[in-house]
Each structure stands twice: as structure tokens, then as C-alpha cells.
Amino acid sequence: MSTLPVYRWRLAPEGLATRRQLRAAGLRPGGQEVVAQVERPRRRRPPLVAFLYRVDRAVPVRPMTSARWAALAAANQARRTCPTCGQDAGYVIPARLGECVPCAFPDSEPCAA
């Protein structure tokens, strides 16, 4: 088992980036393995860890196609639709409730149809 090099926060060498840094540059890891990690120390808690990837091996982000946009819109619509009353709640329904607020708490205001 090989161990990864560990760098302190903000002290990673040039040419390595986190997923977020890659994404901000329009790149993605593209299947490459993690080459190192960065740790940010915290008091009385375990450190925050971010994995690092090589920038020279990163590939461009795939563009959004019209089919992907349609699938994303359908998924977001499903998250807003109440399974009980079938109405668009106008917000993402909380997972812990499982239905819109008026259906979860019937003594509150009625659904806005």
C-alpha cells in the first residue's frame, strides 16, 4: 500500500489542484488517480482533507447538451413536485418532510394551486 504525499494548507506544489480548482479552470480529473492531499488543521477536530490531481493530465469538462439540460430540468421539477397533492411547491421539497409544507402540516395554510 502506497501512501500519498501530504501537504499543509496552501503549500501544495505547482501543477497540482483540487477538483474545485480544476472545475474553475474548466477541467476535470478525467479518471486519473489522486496523487497527493492537502490538510487544513483545525482546533479540537480532525483536519480538513482535499485530494490533489495533476493539472497536466486533466481533461476539459464535457459540454452540456440539450438532452442534459432537459434531464436536469426534469430532475429539478421532480424535486419541487409534491407527491401528495401533485402541485409544484415553488421550492425544493425537504427530504425529511417528503411532501410540501401545507401537506405535511394540514392545519397550516392550504396549497397554492
Side-chain angles (χ1 to χ4, degrees), residues 34-97:
V34 175
V35 295
Q37 68 183 26
V38 160
E39 287 188 353
R40 180 179 180 188
R42 301 188 297 175
R43 292 184 204 164
R44 291 179 289 233
R45 291 186 287 178
L48 292 175
V49 176
F51 297 114
L52 298 172
Y53 301 90
R54 290 180 47 181
V55 176
D56 61 342
R57 298 175 111 192
V59 294
V61 175
R62 294 184 198 120
M64 286 290 282
T65 63
S66 59
R68 282 185 165 184
W69 280 115
L72 183 62
N76 284 330
Q77 180 63 39
R79 293 177 67 199
R80 289 191 312 264
T81 303
C82 176
T84 306
C85 65
Q87 299 292 323
D88 183 349
Y91 54 87
V92 175
I93 295 174
R96 67 185 166 129
L97 293 180

